[in-house]
Amino acid sequence: MKGLNNKWMRAAVPALLLHCSIGTVYCWSLVKGDIAAYIGRSNGEVEWAFSLAIFFLGMSAAFAGDIVERDIRKSSLIAAIFFAAGLVVTGISIKMKSLIGIYLGYGVIMGIGLGIGYLSPVKTLMLWFEDQKGLATGLAVAGFGLAKVIASPVMTFLQNMVGLSNMFYILAGIYFVMMIGGHLLLRKPEGWAENHGKSDFKSSSMFKDVTFIGIWLMVYINISCGLALISQEKDIMKAVGLSVTTIGVISSVTAIFNAGGRLGYSALSDKFKNRDMIYKILFILSIAVTGVAVLTQAINHAIVPIVIILLCVINSTYGGGFSNLPTVLSEHFGMKNISKIHGLGLSAWAMAGLTGNQVSNLIVSKTGSYTNVLYVTLAFYVIALVISFVMVRPAVKEK
């Protein structure tokens, strides 16, 4: 067992096993159309299952922070059970043609597993990789983004071979084994002891802190704007005249940028004296590419290179916003209650899950213009950049 007791086997590998499993939530776009057709509902109605999953991801992370803080073994086991059970309930509900059942399985039950599973390995990673916190959290969260690249061909194969419902049952078995593997391996470093006494930490106090509110708003805006564009990605590529085959290739490339942004930007943040700088970089890049796309009317005039660059960069900054959240929070508020604080920060993800893709759908349905979505996201990226300077000031570090 001594050979297993290192930062890779006790933190990095289990984190990847957990995050590569739960990241499959982003494959919903591959099956939602087929599910809608099978159960006789519209795509818009079925889309709410994904929105609910993201909402319950964020809210379960916000409320489960105390469990994760006290016992990562218990929290990672709970995550595995809820995530697998959610997939099974989704499969049964599809077979029964129950939209409410799909909401319950994919949205609520699986969403709870998502949130607790997402949060469980993060503090452990930062404890093991004390001098490379950004790299460590980026590595795990990259697994969440990379899951779509890995799972997409597997899900397509399984659906063709065994059908929709059976695909969900098989995925439940595969991911349960992977997540239990992560659960069994996950350990905090020797010598680190959590305080199991009564904590004086109050969640409500965080929402009175200007810095935390600023970070929360930045994350909310980054996720909302990212979802607004990513949810329209395939339709935007169709609008500029790309073929189905090309769209498939570009979708894989943007997914790689999503995962790469999670790892790359977080590793880059390790180089900065002030980790807050990374969010300024994310927003400046987002403003630059969105601004160029607006000025050139790239979507309306089918300027394919600019559109592809836009989608790749936004995917990367979207991913980078996730991976840098725990390290930026730890820099401002310390490691003692980081799981609770990170969970509260992820409530921004919950709110964004209910607004980002839904708002962009509304804009497109009312105006028929993807460029109008860019105008809105550009304005909000500018607001986020202002917040990063005004509300989130450099952390005061002890000497």
Side-chain angles (χ1 to χ4, degrees), residues 28 31-48 93-94 96-103:
W28 183 247
V31 296
K32 68 177 181 182
D34 293 328
I35 292 173
Y38 182 79
I39 68 173
R41 297 283 191 155
S42 69
N43 280 358
E45 289 176 297
V46 172
E47 176 68 22
W48 275 102
S93 300
I94 291 169
M96 295 175 62
K97 299 186 178 182
S98 169
L99 182 62
I100 298 299
I102 294 170
Y103 289 166

Side-chain angles (χ1 to χ4, degrees), residues 4 58-59 82 126 148 155 158 170 177 214 227 245 274 284 294 304 309 318 324 332-333 344 350 385 399:
L4 290 176
M59 296 312 293
F82 269 80
M126 290 195 287
K148 183 179 178 181
M155 289 178 67
L158 286 174
I170 293 170
V177 170
L227 285 174
T245 303
N274 171 20
I284 290 169
V294 167
V304 174
I309 291 170
Y318 173 79
N324 281 285
H332 284 278
F333 304 106
L344 291 173
L385 182 61
K399 294 183 179 178

